[in-house]
Every structure is written in C-alpha cells, then in structure tokens.
Amino acid sequence: MEIYLDNSATTRCYREVGELVMQVMCSDYGNPSSMHLKGVEAERYIKEAKEQIAKVLKVTPKELIFTSGGTECDNLALIGAARANRRNGNHLITTSIEHPAILNTMQFLEEEEGFRVTYLPVDENGCASLEALKEALCPETILVSMMYVNNEIGAVQPIQEAVSLVKNYNRRILFHCDAVQGFGKYRIYPKRIGVDMLSVSGHKIHGPKGVGFLYMREGIKVRPIAYGGGQQKNMRSGTENVPGIAGIGLATQMIYTDLEQKTEKMRQLKARLVEGVSGIERCRVHGRTDENSAPHIVSIGFAGVRSEVLLHALEEQEIYVSSGSACASNHPAISGVLKGIGVPREYLESTLRFSMSEFTTEEEIDRTVEALCKMVPMLRRYTRR
C-alpha cells in the first residue's frame, strides 16, 4: 500500500486535469499567438483558465499573469516591483522564514542591486512579529513580502493585519504574498485583504508542474524580468504553456469545490497523526496544530534519529514524506525555519514533514503512525552516541 504524505512538495494531478492537459498537448496544440483556427483554439483555453481563476479570487482576468510556477512568480513580483519603484526608495521587508524563492531573491536584490532588506523575526510558532514590521517601516520602504502559509511547519501568517499596518503607514508600499501553500486550503481574496501581488503554483493544487500564476493588482508598477515576443501584455514574454494553463485553471476550479469539507477532513487527519505520535518518547511537534495552523502540514521531530535515515526507513514501507522543504533541493541541510522558531538542537536534524491532501485516508495515517512507533525506537538503538 503506497502512502503519499509529501503533498507540500507536490500533489497528484486530478484525473480530469491530466486528461485536459493531454487533450491540449496532443489535439488542441496550436500556438496562441497564431492567427489561424488552431491558434484561436489555444487562446480560448488561456481565456477560460483566466476566467476560472479570476472567479475564485474575485479579481479581473486581466490581473493574472501565467508563469512557470511559484518561483518565477516570486522573482517577477520582487525584482519587477523593486526595480520599477526604486525612485520611491530602496528598502524591502520580508520574514526570516520565507521560501528560498523569496529569501534568495531578496539576497540578490541586496547584494547585486543595492537594495536594503529587513528580515522580520518570528515567534516559536513561526508567526511574524507585527511589532517588528511596524518598527521596520520607513520612508524608504517600497515593498513588503510575506508568505500566507509556511511550507515547512504550516504557520499561518497574519496577512490581513500586516497589510493593514503597511497601508496605514504608506498606501504606496506594495505588498506581495507568496500563497503557494495557502491557495487551495483557504479562500483567499486579494482585494479584500489588500495585497497587491499574490503567487500561486499549479502542482500544489493537483494541477500540472511547470505552471503558476501571479495576481497583480491593476495599476501597480512592475517591470518584466523576461523580454521577447510581448505575450501577456509584455509582462511575461514567451509562448504560453497552454496545456499547463488549462490544467491550472481546471485544478483551481476543482480544488475550491467543497473546499470546507476537504480542509476539515485534513484537519481531522492532522489531529489523528499528532495524537498517534504523542506516545513516542522524545517526539516534538513544531509549531501550532490547532485551527490557527494550516490544515495539511505537520512538522515532527524525533530526537536521536537523523531525518534522512527515518525518511528512507519509511520509504521502504512505501510511506513517502519529506525531511523539510522539498522545494529547494534534495540535498539535506539544517532548516532555517526550524532554527528561526528556536527548535532545540536535538531536533534540528531529526525532523520530518508530513503533508496531506484531500486524497489522504485515515488508514494511511494509522499505518504511518504504526510504522513510526516501531521504527523510531529501533533506529535509536542503532544510532551512534
């Protein structure tokens, strides 16, 4: 029995999405820039996907830019906004536990383009300090970026409060939100919460890999970071990934159908997993696990067992999990997120991330708990002291 608990790394495509992608790849394969019928057909898929996504977000279709995924969305938002608004200031703000797509882009802007970046601290649950944000704001601030849900521990950031604080200080400061882990788990309305830009990735919501979209509020200044044929109103040149765009449009529509029932099921499974491992000695759940945390992510440390050893032991039982963020690379490293929330040293190299989806079952959770209860004590006996 295969048990897949690494849905924060990627999800299984909805069957309907896979069928649609195949249809567009093999039958309706025209270039949307072509003027003939095949091109018009392809353009129709892009228009339909924009309408599907815009309806869910309650935005206008023209405020959506399709990209290759969350990383490109973040790069376009940060680099494009920073360069376009530099005359107003050179100060950027983010949190210390963002995804590498944000942190490494901020580092690039800091080291290569001369911007000043403030990295906000977080508390033991991974929530950014609003007081630190208030203190960091200054006349030179032009952009704030804060993720909706942390990809490693499931911390939910106070986005609406942060946006309100920033906009009350200066309405011209742009606010970007990396919603890659939050989209499809929460109903997110950018205009209601006041964010100017929002990043989403297709393969986190049972859509295809290699496609994402960036919501950009109409009227904001952002420079493109890729130049070419002028597609997508010159904001992101290059032939559009029509199969992927069609797929992410349908996946968005499908994941938001009966969303509350799906997320409640995941919350129950999360509670079942947390309760199941509570009997294992020297086991620690990082961050919150209540209603104020993401419904699908659990980060658990097992002191005395290296994370990659336990990961591969579970893999032998066809149970697939992550030793942290699988979005960066497959080379294990000590998590900056865990260090950022003050996790004791004995758990820093002994933590696994379990992440669920609407397809996860109680039986899968129970079998995972059973495997952990057997493996952890056994592996500890063989660990060098």
Side-chain angles (χ1 to χ4, degrees):
M1 177 184 183
E2 181 179 288
I3 300 173
Y4 184 76
L5 296 175
D6 198 15
N7 289 278
S8 286
T10 198
T11 55
R12 184 180 84 203
C13 257
Y14 289 123
R15 178 181 54 79
E16 296 88 341
V17 169
E19 291 172 352
L20 176 61
V21 169
M22 179 66 77
Q23 167 76 19
V24 180
M25 290 180 70
C26 298
S27 297
D28 302 331
Y29 49 80
N31 187 320
S33 295
S34 297
M35 296 179 66
H36 52 63
L37 182 60
K38 279 289 187 182
V40 172
E41 230 172 32
E43 180 65 27
R44 178 177 56 81
Y45 280 108
I46 296 175
K47 182 180 178 182
E48 183 177 0
K50 280 194 173 185
E51 290 172 350
Q52 289 170 317
I53 295 165
K55 184 177 180 181
V56 167
L57 290 175
K58 298 189 184 300
V59 301
T60 62
K62 62 184 176 182
E63 294 177 301
L64 299 172
I65 301 294
F66 290 112
T67 71
S68 62
T71 293
E72 186 187 343
C73 287
D74 291 344
N75 274 259
L76 175 57
L78 270 55
I79 298 173
R83 289 174 175 171
N85 295 276
R86 188 161 201 164
R87 287 185 179 180
N88 298 326
N90 75 331
H91 181 228
L92 318 173
I93 300 174
T94 190
T95 80
S96 60
I97 62 166
E98 295 292 311
H99 189 277
I102 296 293
L103 293 178
N104 290 340
T105 304
M106 285 291 192
Q107 184 179 1
F108 163 78
L109 289 168
E110 193 172 22
E111 295 179 356
E112 302 297 330
E113 304 217 351
F115 288 90
R116 182 170 65 88
V117 183
T118 296
Y119 299 90
L120 304 176
V122 296
D123 63 19
E124 68 276 7
N125 293 313
C127 289
S129 168
L130 292 177
E131 187 60 35
L133 173 60
K134 184 177 181 180
E135 292 177 3
L137 291 168
C138 70
E140 293 294 305
T141 306
I142 57 173
L143 173 67
V144 176
S145 181
M146 186 180 293
M147 66 192 342
Y148 203 99
V149 170
N150 180 265
N151 52 299
E152 290 190 41
I153 62 173
V156 181
Q157 300 298 346
I159 298 295
Q160 192 154 6
E161 295 89 339
V163 172
S164 178
L165 194 158
V166 169
K167 296 297 184 178
N168 285 338
Y169 178 83
N170 181 354
R171 296 199 65 80
R172 295 178 66 185
I173 298 173
L174 296 181
F175 199 107
H176 167 256
C177 179
D178 180 337
V180 167
Q181 291 293 341
F183 190 77
K185 308 301 184 298
Y186 294 90
R187 294 196 181 274
I188 302 173
Y189 305 118
K191 294 185 185 297
R192 184 178 299 176
I193 60 179
V195 300
D196 300 292
M197 297 176 284
L198 186 92
S199 299
V200 174
S201 182
H203 71 110
K204 311 294 188 179
I205 58 168
H206 305 288
K209 297 177 182 65
V211 67
F213 65 81
L214 177 67
Y215 159 76
M216 292 174 48
R217 179 175 61 80
E218 187 177 13
I220 65 172
K221 291 169 59 179
V222 177
R223 285 186 185 174
I225 59 174
Y227 296 87
Q231 290 88 347
Q232 300 198 72
K233 298 180 180 178
N234 284 307
M235 188 52 64
R236 202 273 188 175
S237 290
T239 301
E240 296 93 336
N241 173 10
V242 185
I245 290 169
I248 195 174
L250 180 56
T252 295
Q253 184 181 68
M254 290 183 67
I255 202 165
Y256 275 95
T257 301
D258 300 323
L259 178 71
E260 285 71 26
Q261 292 94 312
K262 293 172 182 174
T263 53
E264 178 56 30
K265 174 190 173 185
M266 284 186 276
R267 286 202 182 279
Q268 291 176 4
L269 295 174
K270 179 175 179 174
R272 195 180 188 97
L273 174 59
V274 171
E275 182 181 3
V277 301
S278 63
I280 301 175
E281 291 184 4
R282 296 162 65 207
C283 169
R284 171 191 168 110
V285 178
H286 308 309
R288 307 181 74 142
T289 59
D290 59 12
E291 293 288 319
N292 294 310
S293 66
H296 61 304
I297 298 174
V298 188
S299 176
I300 309 176
F302 303 90
V305 183
R306 292 183 65 86
S307 56
E308 58 265 35
V309 173
L310 183 53
L311 182 152
H312 291 303
L314 289 169
E315 179 188 11
E316 290 179 0
Q317 300 296 315
E318 293 189 288
I319 301 171
Y320 301 102
V321 300
S322 172
S323 60
S325 169
C327 304
S329 72
N330 59 3
H331 300 293
I334 295 177
S335 164
V337 174
L338 297 183
K339 289 194 290 186
I341 64 173
V343 168
R345 186 174 181 178
E346 62 180 332
Y347 295 103
L348 288 178
E349 296 183 332
S350 305
T351 290
L352 295 180
R353 180 187 65 182
F354 303 80
S355 47
M356 293 152 282
S357 78
E358 61 187 77
F359 297 116
T360 308
T361 66
E362 288 187 355
E363 181 185 3
E364 290 174 340
I365 295 299
D366 291 344
R367 289 193 61 174
T368 300
V369 168
E370 181 183 356
L372 288 167
C373 288
K374 291 179 180 178
M375 288 178 183
V376 172
M378 178 189 69
L379 291 172
R380 281 174 177 161
R381 289 199 296 270
Y382 291 99
T383 300
R384 289 186 296 175
R385 299 179 185 276

